[in-house]
């Protein structure tokens, strides 16, 4: 067969088109690896977004969470954990979030805040929402150093000395004060159910009332002990008197005649 007048074009060396692809792939892997280190993955059942003005926002609202997520991005500035099933906030729950400025824990089932629950947030936290939960009292150890605008409305508060000591340490927005209402009190006979706590604290020193109740309880206890000891002593004396009387009667019943020989012997010896 006659040779073709047009020679087949020569293929470029393999390295010419393989190397660029390998280089791009390596660069892509490096970028993904670096970005994953800088921006941790968003926690399960949460949505994360980042804005140049706001910063990183993590939304875990209405996610049926039973506990605070432990893998939150450390650049989080706003964290929404509202409308979940949280019962307590453990110690150091937000320790790895140095930039956290707003924390929403409203509409959960919180009944307890452990000591150090907000440790590490003293410098950054400016807004804390604890409204619409089941909190009855606040332990000062749980809110050490926190100076955030705190919403405590719509909780079944036990208005007692602990609450009166802790409340002034918080910054409470005026709009939320009317929602901090006494559900019960200690002492129980104050009759403050349904009254806002600020009105109760303005009229009653709950710590002094508790001290008076404690003093009365101590007096009652001491009187009870005194009565018991007195009763014991009376019973003891009466019992001993009865025994002494019986013993005396027994001695009187003994024969009182002495042997003449013994009498003479005794006198002679003397």
């Amino acid at each position: 067969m006659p040779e073709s007048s047009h020679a087949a074009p020569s293929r470029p060396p393999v390295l010419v088109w393989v190397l660029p692809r390998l280089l791009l792939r390596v660069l892509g892997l490096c970028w993904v690896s670096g970005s994953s280190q800088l921006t941790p993955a968003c926690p399960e059942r949460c949505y994360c977004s980042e804005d140049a003005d706001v910063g990183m926002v993590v939304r875990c609202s209405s996610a049926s969470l039973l506990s605070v997520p432990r893998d939150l991005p450390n650049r989080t500035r706003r964290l929404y954990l509202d409308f979940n099933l949280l019962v307590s906030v453990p110690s150091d729950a937000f320790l790895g979030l140095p930039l956290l400025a707003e924390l929403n824990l409203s509409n959960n089932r919180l009944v307890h805040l452990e000591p150090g629950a907000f440790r590490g947030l003293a410098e950054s936290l400016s807004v804390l929402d604890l409204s619409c939960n089941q909190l009855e009292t606040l332990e000062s150890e749980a809110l050490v150093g926190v100076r955030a605008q705190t919403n405590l409305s719509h909780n079944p508060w036990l208005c007692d000395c602990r609450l009166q000591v802790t409340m002034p340490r918080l910054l409470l927005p005026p709009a939320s004060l009317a929602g901090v209402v006494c559900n019960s009190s200690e002492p129980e006979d104050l009759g403050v159910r349904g009254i806002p706590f600020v009105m109760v604290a303005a009229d009653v020193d709950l710590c002094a009332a508790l001290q008076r109740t404690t003093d009365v309880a101590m007096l009652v206890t001491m009187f009870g002990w005194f009565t018991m000891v007195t009763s014991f002593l009376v019973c003891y004396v009466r019992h001993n008197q009865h025994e002494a009387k019986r013993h005396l009667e027994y001695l009187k019943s003994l024969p009182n005649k002495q042997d003449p020989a013994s009498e003479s012997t005794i006198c002679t010896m003397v």
Side-chain angles (χ1 to χ4, degrees), residues 194-211:
I195 301 176
F197 176 77
V198 289
M199 297 179 61
V200 175
D203 296 335
V204 181
D205 186 348
L206 295 171
C207 294
L210 179 62
Q211 183 63 40

Side-chain angles (χ1 to χ4, degrees), residues 54-76:
V54 178
M56 177 165 285
V57 179
V58 179
R59 296 185 180 276
C60 305
S61 306
S62 304
S64 300
L65 296 177
L66 298 174
S67 61
V68 177
R70 305 299 296 181
D71 52 349
L72 293 165
N74 57 10
R75 297 209 314 274
T76 302

Side-chain angles (χ1 to χ4, degrees), residues 5-268:
S5 59
H6 299 283
S10 60
R11 293 184 177 181
V14 175
L15 293 179
V16 173
W17 57 274
V18 170
L19 282 178
R21 293 187 179 185
L22 289 175
L23 183 60
L24 288 175
R25 181 169 296 182
V26 170
L27 291 175
L29 290 174
C30 292
W31 182 84
V32 171
S33 176
S35 62
S36 63
Q37 292 178 359
L38 294 175
T39 306
C42 193
E44 185 179 359
R45 290 186 284 182
C46 299
Y47 172 75
C48 300
S49 62
E50 191 163 6
D51 185 85
D53 298 326
V54 178
M56 177 165 285
V57 179
V58 179
R59 296 185 180 276
C60 305
S61 306
S62 304
S64 300
L65 296 177
L66 298 174
S67 61
V68 177
R70 305 299 296 181
D71 52 349
L72 293 165
N74 57 10
R75 297 209 314 274
T76 302
R77 293 187 61 86
R78 295 184 181 181
L79 176 58
Y80 296 91
L81 294 168
D82 51 320
F83 291 97
N84 280 291
L85 306 175
L86 305 181
V87 176
S88 67
V89 178
S91 301
D92 301 331
F94 309 100
L95 190 59
L97 306 176
L99 303 179
L100 187 62
E102 182 177 343
L103 176 59
N104 191 334
L105 289 164
S106 65
N107 292 281
N108 276 277
R109 301 177 182 179
L110 294 177
V111 296
H112 181 59
L113 305 175
E114 294 186 6
F118 305 103
R119 186 180 288 118
L121 302 181
E123 299 297 330
S124 62
L125 194 63
S126 59
V127 177
L128 174 61
D129 194 344
L130 293 169
S131 63
C132 300
N133 279 286
Q134 299 299 316
L135 294 170
E136 292 187 355
T137 191
L138 286 177
E139 299 290 348
S140 57
E141 293 82 3
L143 296 160
V144 173
V146 174
R147 298 295 296 172
Q149 293 280 338
T150 306
N151 188 351
L152 299 175
S153 61
H154 306 295
N155 282 276
W157 292 111
L158 167 65
C159 292
D160 61 354
C161 181
R162 290 175 296 177
L163 193 64
Q164 192 169 33
V165 169
T166 306
M167 279 284 206
R169 301 177 182 177
L170 304 175
L171 298 177
L172 304 177
S176 69
L177 290 177
V180 183
V181 176
C182 297
N183 184 63
S184 57
S185 66
E186 186 177 318
E188 298 180 356
D189 57 349
L190 294 180
V192 297
R193 182 182 177 88
I195 301 176
F197 176 77
V198 289
M199 297 179 61
V200 175
D203 296 335
V204 181
D205 186 348
L206 295 171
C207 294
L210 179 62
Q211 183 63 40
R212 288 195 298 270
T213 303
T214 303
D215 292 342
V216 171
M218 289 182 63
L219 288 174
V220 171
T221 303
M222 292 176 63
F223 179 77
W225 276 102
F226 178 77
T227 303
M228 185 177 66
V229 172
T230 304
S231 300
F232 174 78
L233 290 175
V234 170
C235 292
Y236 179 79
V237 171
R238 287 181 178 177
H239 178 74
N240 285 351
Q241 286 179 344
H242 181 68
E243 290 295 326
K245 185 177 180 181
R246 287 179 55 190
H247 185 67
L248 183 61
E249 291 177 353
Y250 172 74
L251 292 177
K252 288 181 179 180
S253 66
L254 293 176
N256 199 20
K257 296 180 179 180
Q258 296 184 357
D259 187 359
S262 63
E263 275 188 0
S264 58
T265 304
I266 294 174
C267 292
T268 304

